[in-house]
Amino acid sequence: MEYVSVQDAEVPALGLGTWQLTGEECYDAVSTALELGYRHVDTAQLYENEREVGRAIADPDVDRDDVWVTTKVTPGNARTDDVVESTKESLDRLGTGYVDLLLLHWPNPLVSFRDTARGMAELRDDGLIRHAGVSNFRRWRLRRAREKSPIPILADQVRLHPFYTHQALREDAVENETMVTAYSPLAHGGLMDDRVLAEIGRRYDKTPAQVALRWVTGLENVSTVPKSTSRDHLEENLRALDFELTAAEREAIARPSYATSAKLFLRNEMGI
């Protein structure tokens, strides 16, 4: 495993995302991932799977302190008291005692982030979270969040893949010692038939998905949490860390295009 070192944290660069995973499917995916060596699991109140994630973490012979657990507060729980109470409820469901990282899932324009951060600070002081952060914040919102927060902002989790590279946000993150966590790093499955990734993959006997994950994990201060349910795909994702891309290959892979990114999202996630 590789790690992202930021502030005082060491975060596994490759984790498991659990969006849209529920019930036994979620439990089985997390259990299998931990068995294979994953030590980074991402969940959220909105996912309605914290109980299954926590049950999977509790079952295997893995030390809780070795697993990086992230959960997210829904925007409707952004006020100080709601942050505290809803996170305690999340911890009851997870059964993990604390979470390594608590994020605000989306900006809430009706609530100042100062109020949200106060709740996060209280939780950290009580030992219920170790780090605080945000999700789906653009660069200007991230900067404002830093200004308003009484505790450091460790991470911003955003959709990030070769067609949606967030270069300005990533540069800002490096400058301010913040981690970017990439969700949907495979562009909602839209990279599987990509000719550039396939051509590069043939040089290393890797799939297009593995090449895309190697590109993401090679970015400075970036971790990623692709979703997967099958053992084969979970193993395949881990093997994305055992080779290196050249600078020229990395440049060829990155093709920022809002139009392409939106098309892949609408086609593969929304069925449009």
Side-chain angles (χ1 to χ4, degrees):
M1 181 55 66
E2 297 177 0
Y3 293 83
V4 177
S5 299
V6 59
Q7 298 179 30
D8 62 345
E10 293 283 325
V11 186
L14 179 65
L16 175 66
T18 62
W19 180 47
Q20 295 181 323
L21 298 182
T22 57
E24 289 305 302
E25 182 182 45
C26 177
Y27 170 79
D28 290 342
V30 177
S31 296
T32 301
L34 292 172
E35 178 190 337
L36 293 172
Y38 284 76
R39 293 297 181 266
H40 180 176
V41 182
D42 181 89
T43 182
Q45 293 172 358
L46 281 172
Y47 298 170
E48 298 184 347
N49 63 14
E50 290 172 317
R51 197 175 305 279
E52 288 75 21
V53 168
R55 185 159 58 94
I57 291 172
D59 281 353
D61 187 20
V62 176
D63 190 331
R64 161 67 188 95
D65 289 341
D66 292 337
V67 183
W68 181 276
V69 180
T70 297
T71 195
K72 310 177 196 73
V73 173
T74 67
N77 291 327
R79 290 182 171 82
T80 303
D81 291 344
D82 294 332
V83 170
V84 173
E85 291 308 312
S86 70
T87 300
K88 288 179 179 178
E89 292 169 2
S90 286
L91 290 172
D92 286 342
R93 290 188 290 269
L94 285 163
T96 53
Y98 67 93
V99 291
D100 299 272
L101 178 60
L102 179 69
L103 308 177
L104 177 62
H105 206 149
W106 292 88
N108 184 334
L110 301 179
V111 180
S112 169
F113 186 75
R114 182 174 287 107
D115 292 343
T116 305
R118 284 172 179 160
M120 291 177 166
E122 180 178 332
L123 290 163
R124 193 189 69 165
D125 291 345
D126 290 342
L128 300 180
I129 71 171
R130 290 189 169 176
H131 302 279
V134 296
S135 181
N136 297 301
F137 274 43
R138 299 185 69 84
R139 182 176 51 162
W140 68 270
R141 282 192 183 275
L142 177 59
R143 288 177 172 175
R144 187 171 294 177
R146 290 195 196 101
E147 294 169 357
K148 293 182 176 182
S149 179
I151 59 175
I153 299 298
L154 183 81
D156 186 3
Q157 184 174 130
V158 296
R159 180 163 51 99
L160 191 159
H161 51 70
F163 295 117
Y164 200 49
T165 62
H166 278 294
Q167 182 173 341
L169 177 68
R170 290 188 287 105
E171 290 173 352
D172 178 86
V174 171
E175 181 180 344
N176 290 280
E177 202 176 353
T178 305
M179 178 178 71
V180 173
T181 303
Y183 69 80
S184 299
L186 303 179
H188 317 283
L191 298 179
M192 304 309 181
D193 299 321
D194 185 81
R195 287 181 293 178
V196 172
L197 297 175
E199 179 182 346
I200 293 172
R202 283 192 288 270
R203 302 171 194 166
Y204 300 98
D205 193 25
K206 296 294 181 181
T207 66
Q210 288 172 317
V211 174
L213 289 177
R214 179 74 276 190
W215 175 83
V216 172
T217 55
L219 298 170
E220 189 173 4
N221 281 26
V222 175
S223 66
T224 188
V225 286
K227 181 183 72 174
S228 186
T229 56
S230 76
R231 175 179 289 269
D232 287 347
H233 287 161
L234 287 165
E235 289 180 325
E236 178 182 308
N237 289 351
L238 279 178
R239 291 197 297 273
L241 299 177
D242 65 9
F243 73 108
E244 297 294 339
L245 296 166
T246 68
E249 288 167 341
R250 296 187 61 80
E251 184 176 350
I253 291 168
R255 289 155 286 162
S257 168
Y258 288 119
T260 302
S261 178
K263 180 179 71 176
L264 293 173
F265 174 75
L266 292 172
R267 186 184 70 190
N268 296 306
E269 291 296 337
M270 306 299 292
I272 298 175

